[in-house]
Amino acid sequence: MSFDSDAHARARRKALRVAVGALCTEVGFGIVEDSALETLTEMLQSVLTEIGRASRSYAELSGRTEVMVTDVVMAVVDQGINVNSIPAHAKRVNKSVFIPPGQSTPHPVMKTLEADERMPHPPHIPDYLPPFPDPHTYIRTETYKQPMNEYQVIREKAASQRRDVERALTRFIAKTGKTQSLFKDDASAFPLIAMQPHPQPYLGALFPKDQDLDPQQDSSSSLADSDPKQSNSNLDNNQGPTLDLSQSPLDMSDPDAIDNPYLRPVKMPRFKRKY
Amino acid sequence: MRKDGKFVTQRPYRLAHQILCITAFNFHRRSLIGYVELALHPLCPDLRRLKVNSKQCRIYRVSINDIWEAAFLYNDPTLEICQGDDKKRNLDYYESSHQAAMNAVDSDYGNGEVTIRMPPEAFPIIAELRPIRVCIEFSLEQPKSGIQFVVPSMEGSLVERGAHLFTYGHENSSRLWFPCVDTYSEPCTWKLEFTVDIDMTAVSCGDLIEVIYTPDKRQKTFHYFMSIPTAAPNIALALGPFEILVDPYMHEVTHFCLPHLMPILKHTTGFLHEVFEFYEEVMSSRYPYSCYKQVFVDESYDEVMSYATISILSTNLLHSARIIDQTITSRRLMASAVAQQFFGCYISMQSWYDAWLSKGIAAYLTSLYMKKALGNNEYRHHVAATLKEVYEYESRVGGIVLDPSVRESTHPFSIKHPHTISPGYHEIYKKKAFLVIRMLEIRIGPPIVILQVLNKLLALANTASQQKFMSNSWSNMLLSTDSFLKIISTVIGKDIQPFLDQWVTQSGFAQFHGNFVFNRKRNVVELEIKQDATAKGSLKYVGPLTVTIQELDGSFNHTFKIEENKTKFEITCHSKCRRHKKKKIPLVTGEEVDMDLGAMDADSPVLWLRVDSEMHLLRHVTWEQPDYMWQYQLKYERDVVAQSQAIVALQSLPTPATRKTLTDILENEHCFYHVRLEACVCLTKVANAMESQWAGPPAMMTIFRKMFGSHSCPSIIRQNNFNNFQHYHLLKTIPVAMAQLRNVHNICPPEVVRFILDLFKYNDNSRNKYSDNYYRAVLVDALAATVTPAVTTVTLAGQNLNSEMSSDTKLILEEITRCLNLEKLLPSYRYVVSISCLKAIRILQKFGHLPSNSDIFKSYAQYGVFRDIRVSALEVLVDFIKADVNAMELNWLLDLVDTDPDQYIRYRALALLIANPPFTRTTTDSPLNTEHLVHRLWKMMNTGFSNDSRLRCAIADLYFILYGRVRPSALAIPQNVMVLNLKEKKTLLNPTVIPEVLGDMFEEEPVEVIVPKSEPEDLEMGDMVERPSESEDINPLKRKVESPLPFPAVQVVSATEPNIIAEHAADDSNPAFKFRIKVKSEDEGVSTPTRADGLGLPPVESVSMSRLSEDSDEDSSPTGESSSFTLPKTPAVRTDTLTSFSGVLTTTMASNSVVVEQSFTTPTTAEADGSNSKHKNKKKKKKNKHKHKHKHKHEKQEKDRSKSDKSERMRDHRDSSSQFSPGTTASPVELSQESTPSSPEFEII
C-alpha cells in the first residue's frame, strides 16, 4: 500500500509542479531554477494542505463529516487570502490551460503462484466484501514424497538413535574411567567399564534406572487394574497365572488412629531417686 | 532321644521362662553384651549340674537366684570334630565323629557346651524341686556366625550408612548368640530387652510392650514379651535404622526395611493380608500370635528365615510394581514365612525326627495359597516339578528318609541330626516333606480333612499356650509323628501307620516302567508294569496304582493292586474297536471334542494311557506308547502334567507329525503357558533332529513374528507390552529356544543370529508399564546360546585374536559389552542383564572366541557387588577352575569361602563347587588334586566352620565328591602304613619304604571290601548318652581334676580297656574255622556287651568326659594325641569297639583301599591270589582266619545293613579284618588304643 500512496503523492506533486511552472510563465519568467520551482511547489503544497486541513477542522467543529464550501472559505480566509480575488484570478485572461496527466494503468499481478481458480463468493456473502485470497495461500500441497512404510523407518530411526546415544555414552565413560579388557594384549578393543564395589549394592539393584517411562505414565499404570486378560483368562482352565500385580495399598486414614507399638512414642525413664 | 517311639528328653529340668537382655551393641567392634536368666524347675532332687547350650559367647559369671555364684565349665567338642588326629582323612570317620560331637552337645540328650555346677547353698531348694533362676552374663565379640553385622564401609553415621544386624542360623542355632537350651522341645515364655541407640529399632519376637529411654536419653530400651511358649531356636533379633510400615490392612502386622526402600516395601507387602486371610480361612483358625513382623535385611543368611512372630527376609525380595518375575517368587516366599508361623514357630517340631511334619505342612499351606493365587494348573505343575526334582536327587544321591529314627543313612553323612546333613539333602528333604503331606491329604480323604486335622492341632496348641507352666500341656505346642498319628486317628478314625511306614520311615521313590499292547481278539489292553527296586533311591511299592485309559468312548480309571512279582495287568476296553463315524470323543473333563483319528491304528480304541495320573504316589514312571498316542495326549488331554509328560516323550520322536503337534500347542492361546514354553524347547530339539528334512524358515520364526511382530512390518518386533503374561513368558522363551537351533554344519543358522540381534535393536520399552529387564537378560542369554565353538583360531602368543573373530562373533561381543557397560550407568532390576552378560562372556571364552581370563569375573565376585552378580560370577569362576584346572583360582575361591563377610555367598560358592566340582574321585590325575587341598578342606570342616553347620556340611559334601569315602589318593601314605587295594589286588606303599614281600593276606578268593552303607556311630559318645544319671556325681569331680591334667584320664582309658577286651576276646577267641557259623550270634553278642560295658563301667564315661574337657581348650587340642603317645604300649589289645581311633595310625576303610599297618619285621609275599604251599602252619592258620573274616563281612553286609547297632559293629569288624596288628616289633609310634582288634593268633610275628 505504501507503494500506492507514494505513486499518488508523486503524481500530485507533479501536477503541482506543472501548476507552479504555469503560474511562473504567466507572471513572465522564462526560466526557473529547479530549486526555486521546488520551493514554490512546496509552498503551494503547504498552503493547499493547510487549507484542506483547516476546512476539515471547521467541518468537524461544526459536527459534520463532510466539508462544505463555507468551511473552505473560512480556511482560505484563515490563510489570509482574499476570497473575493479568487473568482477574478480564475477568470484571468492569460490563464494557461494544460492537459491533465494521463491515467497510470496498474501493473498486472504476476500470477506465478497460480494454483487453482479463485473461489467466487458463496451466495450469502455480499459481493462488496473482499474476494477470497489467492488460492495458493490456502491450498496445501505436499512438498515431499510419501515414504513407503513410515512405521518401519521411524522404528529404525528411533532404534539407531538410541543405540548411538548409548554407545557414545558408554564409550565416553569407558574412556574416562577405569576399564577392564577382554583381551590381554589389546586393551582398547571392547573395553568394559570396571566394576566398582558399592557399600550398599542393593540400592542400585532395587531401584533400577533403566525405566524409560515418565512418572506420569507410571502412576497411571497402577490404576489400570482392569487388565484385558483378566476377563478372558477366567473362562479357561488352561490359562497361566493371573496375578494382580498392581495393587495400591489402601490410603492410610490416619496414622494416629493405628494402634501399633512401633508408632507409639518413646517413654521417659522412670524417675530414679538419687541420694 | 526317641525310644520305643516315645520322645524322652534327658534334661533333668524344665524351663519355664527365660529373660534375654542385651544391654549394649557395638557395631564398630561387632560385639554385644548382656545376660540371660533361665527360670528352671528341677526334675530330680539331686540335680547337681546342669548343662546349657552356648557357643562363641564369652561367659563372665553364672549366678543362681542372684545370690550364689556357680562354677561353670565350657566344653565344646564340635569345635574340632576329629581331635588330635592329623593323619586320618576319611570321611566315614569324620562323619561318625561329627554326629557324636553333635550329640554330645545336644540338649535333648541332656548335654550342652556349658556345664554349671550347682552351689551347695542351692541344694535344699533343688531337693524340694523348687524353681531356681540361673543368670548367665555373657558377651559376644566378633562372632563368626549366628549374628550378622552389616556395616557398609562409607562415610556418615551408622544410620546414614544403614548399618544393621540380625541373627540367623541353621535349624537350632540360637546358642550362637546367647546361652539357652537350644532345642525345639523346650518351649518357654520369654522376656526380651534390647538397649540400642536412639535412632535404631530393635525388632524381636513377641509383643513390644514399651520403649523407654535410658536415663541419659541417648539410648532406648525395647521391651518385648513373648507370652506363648516358644523354643529358643525360634528367637531372633534384627536391629537397625529401619523404616517402619504398619500394614494398612492389618495393623498388627508391621514391615521393616532399610532406609530409602519404603516405596518398594509398600508395594511388595501390599498383598500380605490376603495370605493371612487365606490361611485363617482354610484352617478356620485364627493366626496364633498377636503380631507379625517382616524385616528386610541385607546380606541375609537365606531368602527367608522364619521365627516366632518375626520373619527375616532378604532385602532383595523387594520389588516395584514394574517387575513381573520377582513378584511371584517374593510372594511365594513371604507366604511360606507366614505358613511357618503356624507350623514351625507356633507349633514346632519336637525333634529332628519330626521335622518333616512342620516343614511339610508349612510348605503344603504355602502351595495351597499359591494354588489360590495362580490357579490349579500352576499347582499341579509345581507338584509335578517337585516330584521330578526329588526323584532326580534320590536317584542320583540316595534316598531321603523323612523320619530317620529307625533307619540308617545310606549317605556319607548322618541324617539323624540337623547339623550333620548335607545342605543339598536338607533342601530336597523339605520338598519331599511337602509331597508326603500332599499325599497324606489325598490318602485321608477330601482336602478338607487334612485342614480339619491342622485345625485340631492349632486348637490344642491354643489351649496349651494359655495354660500355666508345669501343667504339662505345653507338649501340645510340639508336633511329633506320634502326636500327629494320634490326632489323625481321633479326627478321622484312620490309622495312617502303614502310610508312614511306606513313605516316611522309608526312603526312596517307586519307579515304574511300563508298556502295553492291545489284544484285538479279546478287546483287552494288556499292561506290563515293572518296578525297578534295585536302582538308587528306589523303593519297592506295594499297594494300589491307578491307570487312566482314554478310549474312543471316554476316559476310565482302573485301579490295580501292585504286588510283589506281579507285573501283568489287563484292562477290558469299553469301546468296540470299530470307531463310529464322526463321533465326538468325550474327555475326562466331560467335554467332547472332534479328533482327527487318522493317525491311529484303525483297530484299536485306545487313544492313550496314563499311570498314576493324579500323582498319588512318590513315583517315577517310564511309559512306552507309540508317538501318535503321545501326540493325542499332548493335544487333547486336559491335564497339564500329562501334556508336559507327552512333550518329554515327544522329544525323542522327531517326525513331521510331532512338529505339527508342538507348533499347534505353541500357538494355542488356551493352553497352559508352562506347557507352551516346554513345547518351545522341545520343538528346538525336534527341529535339530530333523535338520536334514526341515524346510522353510527356522522353527518358531513365523510363529514369533505372527505373535510379536508389528502389523505393518512383521520383521520388526512391536513395542513391548507385557500385559499378557502368557505372551510375556513366551517372548522370553522363544528366542532362547531358537538360539539353540543348529543347521547341518552344527552352527546356529545365520538368520537366527540376525533375528536375535534385531530383537536387541528394536527393543522399545517406552510405553510398557512393566520393566523389560528380564526380557533383555534373556536376549543376552539367547545370543550366548547361538555361539558355537570357534572354527580354529590358532593364536600364537601375542597375536591379536580380535582380528580373527568372525563378523558375527564381533557383533555378538559388541552387543554384550554394550549391555554390560550400560548396566553400570542404568542398572536394571537386580542386575539381571549383567548376570547374563557375564555368563555370555564365559561362553565366548569357553568356545575359544575370547582368551580365557578370570580377572573380570573375580572383580565381579568381590565383596561390595550385588549378591546375584557375585553368585553368577562365582559360578563362572567355578567353571573356569574346572576347565582351566587352575589351582590359584581354586585357592582364591576357598579363601573367599573362608573369609567373605556374606554368609550366603560363602555357602553358594561351596554349593557351586559341589555342583560343578573341579575333579571327582574317578579322575585321578588332576593337578588340582593335591595334598594341600586335602588338608585345607579337612581343616575347614574339622575346625574352621565349627559355628556354621551349613558350611561345615557343605565342605563335607565337597570332600565326598572330590575323594569319596576313601582316603584321598593325593595324600602321601604314611610310613608305617600300607594301602591295599583289594579290588584291583594292588598294594600301595609309601615310596620311601621299600616294599617288602607281603604275607599271604590274600589268597584263593578275591577279596573285596564293600562300602558300608550305614553310618557308623561313635560308640564312645553313644555310651555317654546312655549314661545313667547317678554317675553324674562322679563326673564333675573328675573333670575338675582331669582338665588340667589329661594324662590320668587317659590312663583310665587304658585301664578300662582290658575289661572290655576281656569280654571281647571271649567273644572272638573262638577257633577261626567256626567263625563263619558264629556270625549271626556274634552280631547280637557283640553289640549287647558293648552297651553293657558302657552302662556298667563308670570309668568309660569319665574317659569321654575327659576327652571333651580337653577339647574345650582349643589350643590344647593336641593334648589328646600327646597323651595317647604316652600310653604304655599294650600289644594285642583289642580296643576298637570303644575308641575313637585317634592317633597317628591311619585307618582308612573303604571300597577299594584299605590301610594296613606294615610290619617291617614280617616276611611277607605280595602274591595276592597265589596259593602258597610253602607257608608254615602258623601262617596257614592266620590265613584261614583272614579268609573267614572277609566272608563273614560279606554275609553281614548282605544281611542287614539297616540295623544300626549291627552296622556299627560291622565297621569295626571291617576294620579288624583289614588292619593287622603290627605285633610287638612294630614301629614305636603305634598305639595300642588304635591297633587292631584281632585275636592273638591273628598277629604276624
Side-chain angles (χ1 to χ4, degrees), chain B residues 1012-1177:
Chain B
K1013 284 287 180 182
S1014 54
E1015 187 61 39
E1017 261 180 35
D1018 195 316
L1019 252 185
E1020 183 185 49
M1021 292 304 170
D1023 288 341
M1024 197 175 85
V1025 163
E1026 284 155 63
R1027 177 189 63 232
S1029 54
E1030 308 89 64
S1031 67
E1032 280 175 351
D1033 299 343
I1034 309 161
N1035 278 325
L1037 298 169
K1038 276 236 171 79
R1039 169 185 294 272
K1040 275 294 178 199
V1041 182
E1042 283 160 14
S1043 300
L1045 296 165
F1047 299 108
V1050 180
Q1051 276 156 5
V1052 176
V1053 176
S1054 53
T1056 57
E1057 270 160 4
N1059 296 335
I1060 305 148
I1061 291 147
E1063 291 205 34
H1064 277 277
D1067 244 338
D1068 283 14
S1069 61
N1070 296 292
F1073 53 83
K1074 275 190 188 168
F1075 213 88
R1076 197 190 300 190
I1077 308 157
K1078 278 249 350 152
V1079 161
K1080 217 180 253 172
S1081 64
E1082 198 212 40
D1083 276 346
E1084 291 114 24
V1086 173
S1087 53
T1088 29
T1090 317
R1091 180 157 296 161
D1093 293 344
L1095 292 167
L1097 291 171
V1100 176
E1101 297 147 25
S1102 67
V1103 171
S1104 53
M1105 291 307 293
S1106 70
R1107 189 179 147 224
L1108 297 183
S1109 54
E1110 285 157 33
D1111 305 328
S1112 65
D1113 192 352
E1114 263 183 290
D1115 302 318
S1116 69
S1117 59
T1119 48
E1121 197 186 352
S1122 59
S1123 68
S1124 49
F1125 271 78
T1126 62
L1127 278 178
K1129 225 172 6 155
T1130 49
V1133 169
R1134 311 175 59 248
T1135 62
D1136 68 307
T1137 49
L1138 270 185
T1139 55
S1140 58
F1141 305 106
S1142 59
V1144 237
L1145 178 77
T1146 310
T1147 58
T1148 308
M1149 48 274 157
S1151 60
N1152 47 10
S1153 63
V1154 172
V1155 180
V1156 170
E1157 286 182 44
Q1158 188 195 10
S1159 119
F1160 291 99
T1161 54
T1162 311
T1164 47
T1165 58
E1167 282 174 53
D1169 51 353
S1171 62
N1172 287 326
S1173 56
K1174 57 186 173 181
H1175 285 307
K1176 290 174 196 163
N1177 206 12

Side-chain angles (χ1 to χ4, degrees), chain B residues 938-1001:
Chain B
W938 184 265
K939 196 171 158 228
M940 280 164 116
M941 67 178 177
N942 196 21
T943 55
F945 295 140
S946 60
N947 295 321
D948 191 339
S949 314
R950 185 170 73 164
L951 279 179
R952 181 175 245 175
C953 295
I955 290 275
D957 261 14
L958 181 64
Y959 198 86
F960 174 69
I961 295 226
L962 297 184
Y963 307 115
R965 296 173 188 233
V966 301
R967 181 184 172 80
S969 57
L971 285 187
I973 299 156
Q975 289 221 337
N976 57 334
V977 153
M978 177 181 70
V979 175
L980 300 185
N981 191 330
L982 297 180
K983 242 182 205 164
E984 296 166 30
K985 292 161 197 160
K986 276 194 284 187
T987 57
L988 294 172
L989 281 178
N990 187 318
T992 56
V993 179
I994 304 138
E996 293 192 45
V997 191
L998 291 174
D1000 49 345
M1001 290 170 183

Side-chain angles (χ1 to χ4, degrees), chain B residues 843-911:
Chain B
I843 288 173
L844 284 170
Q845 288 189 352
K846 220 172 167 181
F847 286 144
H849 299 285
L850 287 177
S852 221
N853 180 1
S854 63
D855 294 343
I856 299 169
F857 306 120
K858 266 157 78 177
S859 77
Y860 280 91
Q862 64 185 315
Y863 180 69
V865 180
F866 185 64
R867 182 185 274 180
D868 292 8
I869 301 188
R870 298 189 73 192
V871 171
S872 63
L874 288 172
E875 189 181 344
V876 166
L877 277 171
V878 166
D879 185 56
F880 181 85
I881 290 167
K882 187 181 183 184
D884 282 31
V885 198
N886 193 324
M888 248 169 58
E889 304 301 331
L890 182 60
N891 272 327
W892 184 88
L893 200 67
L894 290 177
D895 285 345
L896 182 126
V897 170
D898 250 345
T899 58
D900 200 83
D902 191 341
Q903 298 292 328
Y904 180 80
I905 289 289
R906 297 165 74 170
Y907 166 64
R908 286 297 300 171
L910 273 180

Side-chain angles (χ1 to χ4, degrees), chain B residues 806-846:
Chain B
S806 73
S807 58
D808 262 359
T809 318
K810 257 187 190 161
L811 284 176
I812 290 173
L813 185 57
E814 191 165 333
E815 206 60 59
I816 290 168
T817 48
R818 188 181 61 86
C819 289
L820 189 55
N821 282 338
L822 204 60
E823 279 270 287
K824 303 286 187 311
L825 307 168
L826 304 169
S828 62
Y829 178 70
R830 293 189 80 161
Y831 294 106
V832 282
V833 180
S834 291
I835 289 165
S836 294
C837 287
L838 288 182
K839 289 180 182 161
I841 290 176
R842 176 61 194 157
I843 288 173
L844 284 170
Q845 288 189 352
K846 220 172 167 181

Side-chain angles (χ1 to χ4, degrees), chain B residues 644-658:
Chain B
S644 298
Q645 183 196 12
I647 287 176
V648 172
L650 285 174
Q651 266 177 19
S652 46
L653 303 165
T655 60
T658 301

Side-chain angles (χ1 to χ4, degrees), chain A residues 162 166 180 210 237-238 262, chain B residues 224 377 670 776 818 859:
Chain A
R162 209 179 54 179
E166 287 174 1
Q180 290 169 318
D210 63 334
N237 190 27
N238 276 354
Y262 292 96
Chain B
Y224 284 91
N377 281 334
H670 296 290
R776 281 185 291 132
R818 188 181 61 86
S859 77

Side-chain angles (χ1 to χ4, degrees), chain B residues 276-295:
Chain B
F276 281 99
E277 284 158 19
F278 177 79
Y279 290 148
E280 291 189 349
E281 195 182 316
V282 290
M283 292 187 287
S284 48
S285 174
R286 282 199 60 77
Y287 173 67
Y289 294 114
S290 55
C291 60
Y292 179 59
K293 290 145 261 177
Q294 277 191 327
V295 191

